[in-house]
Amino acid sequence: MEDQNKSNQKKDKKNISRRDVLKSLATVPVVGAVAYGALKKKQYDHYLNSKIAEELGMSYSEPENKPAKMGGKEIRIGIIGYGIRGKQLTQGLGFVHPSKVDSWKEGAMNNKDDKRYSNFIAQDDLNVRITAVCDIFDTYGTMAQEMAANVNREGNGGKMADLPKRFLNHKDLIASPDVDAVIIAAPDHWHGPMTIEAAKAGKHVYCEKPLTWTVEETYEVRKAVKENNVVFQLGHQGRQTDSYNKAKEAIEKGVLGPVNLIEVTTNRNSPNGAWVYPIHKDANQNTIDWEQFIGQAPWHDFNLERFFRWRCWWDYSTGLSGDLLTHEYDAINQIMNIGIPDSAMSTGGIYYYKDGRTVPDVLTTVFEFPERDLSMIYSATLSSEMSRGKRVMGHDAYMELGNTITIFPDSRSTRYADKINEEIINPSQPIYSYIPGKKNVDAITSATESYFANRGLLYTYRGGKRVDTTHLHLKEWIDCIRSGEETSCNIDQGFEEAITAHMGTLAYHHKKQIFWDAENEKIIV
Amino acid sequence: MALKSLTLSKFQITWLVVLRVAVGWHFLYEGLVKVLNPNWSSIGYLLDSKGFLAPFFYSLTANPTILSIADFMNQWGLVLIGLGLILGAFTKIAAYSGMLLLAFYYLSHPPFTGITFAMPTEGNYFLVDKVFIEFCALAVVTVFPTGNNIGLDRFFKKNKNY
């Protein structure tokens, strides 16, 4: 009793009553409740994550950025064709025209988010030099020389190296003793002859897709590359896309179960996307070597549209099949090793761009791979941007593939039936997502993250650096020249790509199913 | 300079405290979930910014150091503000800080006509959205700092007075 009085007195002294203490601390238990809730959520997420991760066995790390093999002497490169793609390829090598640097710098000054210049400067030095250029349009030929001399990646007025020699004919460039390797960015009907010429001269080759324009030269190109032991890379830069490597892993680990149907697509909706490229003001009969342009194509009188928009005519082009299907096919071949199909059937037409072109602007091709129990549909339009991506449909799960990967379980899956019953797997939620640039890969990605990724808000990174896949693809080729290793899109992959594309085109022309005789390596029309 | 207790009815105080604690609960839970997720980053949200301040929010993502500061401020800022509001400790500072954070969220994702965001919303908003209402709620908390009645501020005040 006395004690209590004492303590009361003490409290009074401090002017703090029990009432005060209670009122001060009344809300403390709320903190406990919130913390309990947050911990429960974490445990639940972790439980689902680890259960699903255990089931799938997928890796969750981003690929690292391998440093370029800089060693050895400088590799001397000749560039054949300095049009739209040729300019992109030399940029991937580390060379652009000074005026381009100026325009990038100006862009960066006006807009802080314009990173073209800083990304280019940050690109790895590949220890190469462009020692020879060839373009049959004089303006591009001169520009190519200036680009190659811009070794310090500067703008106009910067310190240039000596101008490399401009060759008027690719044969002379290939024969030049100053060239170790060539990059071919000429029109499709020149890919085969130029690659054969270069391989026979012992020069390494990076060739734009598709590998060939005719079926016959496909065999000759393969023979020339193999016999002469040159390092060959076909220009499907998608080989470097992170998400495709993850997709390959998913297929190898059987995450999707048996896959019987694949759908790949092209959706474009602009004149540029439909190959209606601008015509250069300096172009005329005096500045263009028209005869060389024609090459093995059927003769046609000088025509600027045909020169700049050659993809619109079968005379020089391989159409949607060679131009855009090949990217899609190569991606699936990279992921699933499907090889050459047993058959192809195509339909389509010129339905929107009635501008005198001969190649279709709408095309659907169905490839059959009976040995793999698999059909692949390609469908393309040049007059709608409704993007459909690539879809790989398996019995247990389906995958949507682009720069990101999303794998959804199938509600009727056999493999995941138990986990779906136990409510560990929710068929309406992805079981695996890969979003490049995200801090880490997770089995469970929040809805927010998927939305951001699908809107292209997260970029392709490697080792925390934004990268250009064309640069990576060229880098791999250069590295292989130095190390003697095999490129990812080598001549065998290229052969499969070209034959597949030709089968699709032949089916379109002949309006019938075209078969592949695998034993004799012959297309049967 | 002595802080006065509010002379309000019990009901009035009760509901003001409930409002304060509810907002605090929301802040603390949001903060803890982010702190407990090692992969959480504000980058997606910042990159989805729209409106006239969008370039500023994009610029935060450009530099990894600034981005990690933004992440840290979001995670622990939310936690500390939540704790302050629930416990009624430094109530005014917590409420003002909370208003500042909410102002950033509002300005990066303003509910204006003609602007759509990657994250779909579950309702329809024009100028006034949930962030704005939570902002108003915290403004009420700053003018009725009930931490002096129910909360640790009462304890601090007493000690100070003595």
Side-chain angles (χ1 to χ4, degrees):
Chain A
M1 195 63 185
E2 214 176 312
D3 279 357
Q4 208 179 349
N5 279 344
K6 252 187 191 171
S7 77
N8 273 349
Q9 268 176 354
K10 214 175 176 181
K11 266 185 195 162
D12 283 339
K13 239 185 183 177
K14 278 199 163 182
N15 202 14
I16 293 171
S17 65
R18 175 172 303 178
R19 198 181 160 75
D20 282 328
V21 174
L22 277 176
K23 284 192 166 182
S24 295
L25 301 177
T27 53
V28 171
V30 176
V31 174
V34 177
Y36 176 79
L39 273 172
K40 270 284 165 202
K41 178 181 161 54
K42 181 178 166 72
Q43 281 171 359
Y44 182 67
D45 287 352
H46 180 75
Y47 170 73
L48 288 186
N49 256 321
S50 57
K51 279 283 172 194
I52 295 173
E54 194 181 296
E55 171 71 42
L56 303 187
M58 294 279 292
S59 72
Y60 291 94
S61 56
E62 252 189 68
E64 284 178 20
N65 190 26
K66 280 189 222 147
K69 292 187 171 75
M70 293 273 295
K73 61 181 173 57
E74 205 171 53
I75 292 174
R76 301 165 307 164
I77 291 174
I79 174 104
I80 307 173
Y82 192 60
I84 296 172
R85 191 61 190 152
K87 292 181 177 75
Q88 292 165 350
L89 288 167
T90 57
Q91 180 186 328
L93 273 188
F95 298 85
V96 297
H97 193 268
S99 61
K100 187 113 190 173
V101 174
D102 284 340
S103 78
W104 283 344
K105 278 186 175 170
E106 201 187 313
M109 281 220 295
N110 295 330
N111 176 4
K112 274 204 296 193
D113 299 319
D114 187 339
K115 299 269 184 251
R116 289 174 301 175
Y117 178 64
S118 53
N119 283 345
F120 175 67
I121 293 297
Q123 203 172 275
D124 281 350
D125 181 351
L126 301 180
N127 191 20
V128 298
R129 186 174 286 236
I130 297 174
T131 48
V133 302
C134 175
D135 196 288
I136 56 173
F137 171 35
D138 289 343
T139 306
Y140 285 177
T142 311
M143 278 177 79
Q145 284 176 294
E146 290 160 1
M147 165 279 295
N150 190 11
V151 292
N152 298 314
R153 305 186 186 187
E154 290 184 36
N156 279 313
K159 198 169 175 293
M160 298 282 155
D162 292 337
L163 290 186
K165 184 163 179 190
R166 178 190 165 202
F167 291 85
L168 298 175
N169 185 304
H170 70 274
K171 287 186 191 230
D172 299 334
L173 179 143
I174 288 167
S176 165
D178 296 333
V179 170
D180 304 315
V182 295
I183 291 179
I184 299 169
D188 292 359
H189 67 303
W190 272 112
H191 291 178
M194 285 174 178
T195 304
I196 292 167
E197 180 98 20
K200 283 186 176 163
K203 309 286 162 94
H204 306 294
V205 179
Y206 182 104
C207 182
E208 259 314 308
K209 50 85 209 174
L211 182 68
T212 54
W213 181 62
T214 69
V215 175
E216 294 70 34
E217 61 192 13
T218 313
Y219 301 95
E220 290 168 42
V221 170
R222 182 175 63 172
K223 189 163 161 243
V225 168
K226 290 204 164 184
E227 278 180 358
N228 294 287
N229 244 342
V230 295
V231 176
F232 178 86
Q233 176 89 299
L234 187 63
H236 285 298
Q237 68 276 8
R239 290 269 166 179
Q240 311 300 329
T241 304
D242 295 351
S243 55
Y244 295 176
N245 296 322
K246 288 283 172 216
K248 189 179 171 78
E249 190 184 336
I251 295 290
E252 280 165 359
K253 295 198 165 136
V255 169
L256 305 188
V259 174
N260 305 118
L261 182 61
I262 296 171
E263 189 182 38
V264 291
T265 60
T266 294
N267 278 90
R268 288 180 168 188
N269 194 12
S270 70
N272 205 57
W275 314 308
V276 185
Y277 301 133
I279 290 170
H280 200 285
K281 61 176 173 37
D282 298 342
N284 58 50
Q285 252 171 311
N286 298 323
T287 53
I288 289 171
D289 183 346
W290 182 251
E291 258 181 60
Q292 262 206 85
F293 170 75
I294 292 288
Q296 60 170 333
W299 178 256
H300 193 283
D301 287 341
F302 182 78
N303 181 309
L304 283 175
E305 285 187 6
R306 283 178 173 249
F307 185 76
F308 285 99
R309 301 169 183 169
W310 54 265
R311 288 176 207 265
C312 299
W313 286 272
W314 289 121
D315 289 353
Y316 330 102
S317 165
T318 48
L320 276 167
S321 202
D323 204 67
L324 296 169
L325 155 67
T326 49
H327 276 315
E328 303 297 318
Y329 165 80
D330 188 70
I332 300 299
N333 199 23
Q334 172 186 354
I335 294 162
M336 297 182 68
N337 269 318
I338 50 178
I340 297 170
D342 181 65
S343 73
M345 180 66 223
S346 303
T347 58
I350 304 165
Y351 296 146
Y352 188 87
Y353 284 96
K354 298 182 189 292
D355 54 4
R357 68 179 60 202
T358 53
V359 301
D361 55 13
V362 171
L363 182 74
T364 300
T365 304
V366 183
F367 296 105
E368 297 299 332
F369 302 85
E371 280 180 18
R372 299 285 297 263
D373 295 320
L374 178 67
S375 276
M376 183 170 89
I377 301 174
Y378 170 69
S379 91
T381 170
L382 298 182
S383 59
S384 167
E385 261 191 2
M386 183 195 154
S387 175
R388 295 163 296 166
K390 304 177 207 357
R391 292 166 182 163
V392 182
M393 290 160 252
H395 166 69
D396 292 313
Y398 64 93
M399 172 162 70
E400 290 182 338
L401 182 60
N403 276 331
T404 66
I405 293 182
T406 318
I407 299 176
F408 284 90
D410 193 290
S411 54
R412 303 285 181 191
S413 157
T414 313
R415 173 172 169 176
Y416 305 124
D418 290 347
K419 293 258 179 332
I420 291 172
N421 272 340
E422 292 165 40
E423 292 183 358
I424 288 168
I425 288 178
N426 175 351
S428 66
Q429 294 284 322
I431 42 175
Y432 184 87
S433 314
Y434 176 70
I435 301 170
K438 210 184 121 196
K439 269 194 195 165
N440 225 323
V441 194
D442 246 331
I444 301 204
T445 304
S446 73
T448 331
E449 283 160 342
S450 315
Y451 278 109
F452 292 142
N454 291 339
R455 306 250 315 202
L457 290 167
L458 298 168
Y459 309 119
T460 304
Y461 283 81
R462 195 159 288 189
K465 225 161 87 173
R466 256 187 98 170
V467 282
D468 167 22
T469 49
T470 298
H471 165 69
L472 291 175
H473 205 46
L474 282 157
K475 178 169 134 182
E476 185 194 278
W477 175 59
I478 301 283
D479 285 350
C480 289
I481 291 174
R482 292 206 160 99
S483 68
E485 284 168 275
E486 199 63 54
T487 52
S488 58
C489 204
N490 63 19
I491 192 64
D492 290 320
Q493 304 285 309
F495 182 82
E496 291 174 354
E497 177 249 283
I499 294 290
T500 304
H502 289 316
M503 285 171 70
T505 303
L506 286 168
Y508 174 80
H509 285 314
H510 292 272
K511 297 190 178 356
K512 68 177 217 188
Q513 200 170 11
I514 301 295
F515 292 89
W516 173 243
D517 175 357
E519 211 170 301
N520 299 307
E521 288 204 311
K522 285 272 174 279
I523 293 178
I524 302 162
V525 178
Chain B
M1 177 64 217
L3 294 163
K4 279 185 190 155
S5 291
L6 297 163
T7 48
L8 295 166
S9 77
K10 271 192 173 172
F11 269 124
Q12 286 170 321
I13 289 179
T14 304
W15 282 107
L16 284 170
V17 171
V18 168
L19 179 70
R20 192 194 81 207
V21 171
V23 175
W25 180 299
H26 183 213
F27 270 73
L28 181 59
Y29 188 73
E30 278 281 14
L32 285 178
V33 165
K34 289 174 173 64
V35 168
L36 291 173
N37 176 1
N39 297 328
W40 181 83
S41 167
S42 59
I43 185 166
Y45 187 84
L46 289 171
L47 286 174
D48 189 36
S49 298
K50 301 274 161 64
F52 69 101
L53 277 179
F56 163 71
F57 292 107
Y58 298 155
S59 71
L60 297 181
T61 66
N63 182 324
T65 316
I66 294 177
L67 182 64
S68 60
I69 292 172
D71 286 351
F72 185 84
M73 297 288 277
N74 263 293
Q75 295 174 308
W76 289 102
L78 286 168
V79 167
L80 291 176
I81 292 165
L83 281 174
L85 290 173
I86 293 174
L87 296 175
F90 310 107
T91 315
K92 273 193 158 185
I93 299 172
Y96 280 125
S97 315
M99 287 170 76
L100 184 70
L101 266 188
L102 290 169
F104 278 127
Y105 299 153
Y106 183 86
L107 292 171
S108 83
H109 284 60
F112 298 160
T113 305
I115 297 185
T116 52
F117 299 99
M119 251 321 257
T121 48
E122 77 291 1
N124 298 289
Y125 305 109
F126 173 60
L127 298 184
V128 174
D129 62 2
K130 290 178 182 174
V131 174
F132 185 82
I133 291 170
E134 201 164 30
F135 181 87
C136 296
L138 281 183
V140 171
V141 171
T142 62
V143 293
F144 293 100
T146 50
N148 295 331
N149 300 72
I150 303 290
L152 289 174
D153 283 340
R154 179 190 188 97
F155 186 74
F156 301 147
K157 180 191 73 176
K158 293 269 167 157
N159 270 347
K160 212 174 186 178
N161 278 357
Y162 190 71

